[in-house]
Amino acid sequence: MKKGRFYVWRGVVFRLFLAVVLFILLLLLKSSVWFLNHFDEVEFSAVVYQLISPMKGTGTDILNEYLHSCLYHSISLSIIFFLVYNVYDLLSKKLLLCFDIKIGKKEFHFEIGKQFFFISKTCILSVSILILCFYIKKQLVLIGIPKFIENLSNASELYEQEYVNPGDKAITFPQEKRNLLLIYMESMETTYASIEAGGGKPDNYIPRLTKLANENLFFSDDSDLGGANACDGTGWTMAGLLASSSGVNYKLPIDGNEAGEYKYFLKGLITLGDILEDAGYQNYFMCGSDSRYAGRRDFYEQHGNYNIFDYYSAKEDGIISDDYYEFWGMEDQYLYKYAQEKLTEIASNQEPFNFTMLTVDTHHPEGYICKLCKDEYSEQYANAIACADRQLCEFIGWVEEQEWYEKTTVIITGDHRSMVTGFWNDIGNYERRIYNCFMNVPGKFSAECFKNRTFSILDMFPTILAAMNVRIEGERLGLGTNLFSGNMTLPEKMGWDEFNRELELYSNYYINNFVIKERPQNP
């Protein structure tokens, strides 16, 4: 009796094990398909980054869609499999199929019993698992997991050879320090401009931003609107913020250190916020979502002691009601209103300030359509981009009317290229680039330094400081080069492919000096 029970329970455990294996395989397959359908050219490191970072503040629409499309669906199919397999197994032990076939004068008698059912279910199960594994392997290659693993197993010496520590260089501020208004526009590309305007689209979704760039200063990889190249480890928001304000790409710690848990955010790194704080600036960061998401609050508070304004502080300050929640928190029309109130208050303090803000309405998967948006185009994302173009330039118009504008450098840049899929079928061979515009920059510069440059968002770090009339010894910080200087960037010296390949590889210097080491004091 005990032996019989043992075999029964062993069978149940085996079937549960098969159901779990099938669930894992289905989840992997569905997740990979979902990922490729919802994100365009996103590095797998970005996915791992999100998995190990606090998931606070994530857009609920994206999470809900993933849960319903992948997790819940995989669970349902696994339960159905478990039930069907059990019924089939039960019938196979009790069912005996007998039939006779007459061929000519001869009659043949066949019986199908346990052995046939066992072989058939084993073959069906094995073939199904093999097919799933084949497609999963194919999808994982498309996502870039094998490449990610390969990169972790190979070390680069790029940082040892080329990284310029800001603590080792003289960084000299002018006697009258300039304020900084740094605006990161979510997923803002020059691709959204028309072909005639230097972009890649038949229609110009960003006519005002195009005009703003042409009336001020911008850097281009060609002789037209162009923009910054996208390099490894900078393809999502937090990575873009990090790269443009420190000159380093985001490289994931793999040794279980504290940075992965976000107790400290790259504590050995010297960033734009650190430099400005040491120079007597008051730093501020504003976003319309939960600032804790992806470690943004940790980064800004630990590097520059930023005052943080976000979705929650907006409720406390009466910008939105306590029960208000749209998209990732609050849309940009409220963000700009909030920024106007805070900038007016901050400017009255008569202290040099750095006000950094991040928009959200052009976030994937389709952008957000607010009540200010118009129904101009057939695609929702195009309408969201056009609305973002109008709102930003209206905000800039307000900025230019303020008394403090005269001594304020304004910089507008995309945080990274868009992750939206299915929006690029009409751009042909156009190379997608990240938008940038520099306003109210003192000094005169050579025209050659702006066009036909090979550069990335890493070069924004020293370039932002230079735009504030700050002198930098050697014109380089981090892996970035001050573009105003006209000096060659690292990708111009090394070639883009070699430079980007080195960024992909694991870096011992990065882990030992930024993740583990304490921040050195600025001289």
Side-chain angles (χ1 to χ4, degrees):
M1 194 69 178
K2 290 182 178 179
K3 188 176 181 180
R5 288 177 182 172
F6 169 75
Y7 282 114
V8 169
W9 280 108
R10 188 178 68 175
V12 172
V13 170
F14 176 71
R15 289 190 286 274
L16 282 171
F17 172 75
L18 286 178
V20 171
V21 170
L22 183 65
F23 164 73
I24 293 172
L25 292 175
L26 285 171
L27 184 62
L28 280 172
L29 181 61
K30 286 187 168 294
S31 297
S32 61
V33 171
W34 182 86
F35 177 85
L36 290 170
N37 286 338
H38 285 74
F39 301 94
D40 187 69
E41 297 182 346
V42 180
E43 306 149 20
F44 180 69
S45 58
V47 182
V48 179
Y49 169 81
Q50 299 297 352
L51 290 175
I52 68 169
S53 68
M55 290 300 289
K56 298 173 181 177
T58 307
T60 55
D61 290 344
I62 295 175
L63 284 178
N64 288 334
E65 185 177 350
Y66 173 78
L67 291 174
H68 284 91
S69 300
C70 301
L71 183 61
Y72 298 156
H73 203 183
S74 299
I75 292 173
S76 300
L77 288 175
S78 300
I79 292 174
I80 292 172
F81 163 79
F82 180 73
L83 295 174
V84 170
Y85 189 89
N86 274 279
V87 171
Y88 186 86
D89 192 55
L90 182 64
L91 289 175
S92 69
K93 293 176 181 177
K94 298 181 178 293
L95 204 60
L96 178 64
L97 298 180
C98 301
F99 56 93
D100 297 313
I101 298 177
K102 186 175 182 180
I103 302 176
K105 295 182 179 180
K106 292 186 177 181
E107 291 187 358
F108 297 91
H109 179 75
F110 294 93
E111 292 183 355
I112 299 177
K114 292 181 180 180
Q115 188 173 7
F116 171 82
F117 285 112
F118 175 78
I119 294 173
S120 64
K121 73 180 181 183
T122 302
C123 289
I124 292 171
L125 187 63
S126 300
V127 170
S128 299
I129 290 176
L130 285 173
I131 291 173
L132 278 174
C133 290
F134 171 78
Y135 279 106
I136 288 170
K137 180 183 178 182
K138 185 178 179 181
Q139 294 296 106
L140 296 184
V141 170
L142 290 174
I143 290 173
I145 294 179
K147 183 180 178 181
F148 173 75
I149 295 173
E150 178 188 352
N151 290 341
L152 289 180
S153 62
N154 292 281
S156 166
E157 293 188 354
L158 177 66
Y159 277 90
E160 285 87 344
Q161 297 172 356
E162 300 292 351
Y163 177 77
V164 175
N165 190 333
D168 296 335
K169 295 295 179 180
I171 299 174
T172 308
F173 283 78
Q175 186 174 1
E176 185 176 355
K177 295 172 183 173
R178 297 183 62 77
N179 303 317
L180 172 64
L181 174 55
L182 177 56
I183 305 172
Y184 289 99
M185 294 194 73
E186 172 63 47
S187 306
M188 185 50 62
E189 302 186 20
T190 53
T191 316
Y192 306 141
S194 63
I195 296 171
E196 292 77 12
K201 286 287 185 176
D203 298 307
N204 193 347
Y205 303 137
I206 54 169
R208 295 163 186 83
L209 283 168
T210 303
K211 182 181 179 183
L212 199 66
N214 286 320
E215 290 178 346
N216 292 280
L217 302 174
F218 68 94
F219 296 95
S220 172
D221 67 311
D222 57 26
S223 58
D224 218 317
L225 189 59
N229 293 266
C231 60
D232 184 81
T234 64
W236 66 101
T237 296
M238 186 59 244
L241 300 179
L242 173 68
S244 58
S245 58
S246 67
V248 307
N249 62 333
Y250 194 93
K251 303 187 74 65
L252 290 167
I254 60 170
D255 56 356
N257 51 64
E258 292 176 330
E261 300 169 3
Y262 286 99
K263 185 176 181 181
Y264 300 103
F265 198 119
L266 300 180
K267 59 184 177 181
L269 189 66
I270 296 178
T271 72
L272 175 67
D274 295 319
I275 293 170
L276 293 179
E277 182 188 21
D278 289 343
Y281 279 72
Q282 292 296 311
N283 292 320
Y284 304 88
F285 174 72
M286 175 179 286
C287 63
S289 56
D290 184 345
S291 60
R292 296 172 297 177
Y293 175 61
R296 292 177 301 190
R297 177 178 284 271
D298 289 336
F299 173 67
Y300 283 113
E301 287 184 340
Q302 295 171 18
H303 291 280
N305 194 27
Y306 281 70
N307 298 280
I308 308 293
F309 306 117
D310 65 356
Y311 165 71
Y312 293 104
S313 65
K315 290 197 293 186
E316 294 173 0
D317 291 337
I319 300 297
I320 53 176
S321 60
D322 287 340
D323 59 348
Y324 191 86
Y325 191 93
E326 287 291 328
F327 202 37
W328 284 71
M330 66 177 182
E331 59 269 44
D332 290 343
Q333 62 172 313
Y334 294 110
L335 179 75
Y336 289 124
K337 177 184 176 183
Y338 198 18
Q340 288 177 4
E341 288 191 7
K342 288 300 179 183
L343 278 167
T344 300
E345 176 186 323
I346 291 165
S348 67
N349 296 330
Q350 302 300 315
E351 293 178 307
F353 65 80
N354 157 33
F355 190 91
T356 299
M357 57 187 292
L358 169 68
T359 70
V360 73
D361 284 2
T362 45
H363 202 286
H364 66 84
E366 296 181 290
Y368 179 80
I369 300 300
C370 69
K371 61 184 180 182
L372 300 178
C373 292
K374 300 177 182 179
D375 190 15
E376 301 174 84
Y377 306 103
S378 59
E379 295 177 275
Q380 176 175 316
Y381 195 54
N383 287 317
I385 294 165
C387 188
D389 175 72
R390 286 190 296 272
Q391 289 189 67
L392 184 279
C393 290
E394 287 176 6
F395 176 70
I396 291 298
W398 174 86
V399 169
E400 291 177 313
E401 294 174 353
Q402 307 309 303
E403 290 183 6
W404 46 265
Y405 173 69
E406 184 180 350
K407 56 179 182 180
T408 301
T409 295
V410 179
I411 300 172
I412 307 162
T413 178
D415 56 349
H416 55 76
R417 295 196 306 189
S418 174
M419 298 179 184
V420 172
T421 58
F423 191 67
W424 317 107
N425 297 329
D426 56 359
I427 68 171
N429 295 323
Y430 181 83
E431 294 289 335
R432 293 166 56 195
R433 297 290 185 255
I434 301 167
Y435 177 90
N436 71 89
C437 176
F438 291 75
M439 301 177 61
N440 210 14
V441 177
K444 294 182 179 180
F445 310 97
S446 170
E448 287 74 22
C449 72
F450 294 102
K451 298 295 181 71
N452 298 306
R453 303 296 305 274
T454 303
F455 69 103
S456 72
I457 199 168
L458 297 169
D459 295 299
M460 293 294 287
F461 177 33
T463 305
I464 289 171
L465 285 167
M468 301 168 65
N469 203 23
V470 175
R471 295 199 306 274
I472 303 167
E473 180 188 355
E475 304 293 3
R476 287 196 56 226
L477 294 175
L479 296 180
T481 300
N482 170 21
L483 296 172
F484 287 108
S485 71
N487 291 358
M488 292 183 71
T489 64
L490 286 182
E492 285 173 336
K493 290 179 180 178
M494 300 171 60
W496 179 259
D497 291 341
E498 182 182 351
F499 174 70
N500 198 51
R501 176 56 183 160
E502 291 296 318
L503 288 178
E504 293 174 348
L505 301 177
Y506 181 81
S507 172
N508 289 308
Y509 182 97
Y510 193 103
I511 300 301
N512 293 332
N513 289 275
F514 305 150
V515 177
I516 299 174
K517 189 177 179 181
E518 293 286 352
R519 177 197 164 194
Q521 294 298 313
N522 217 10

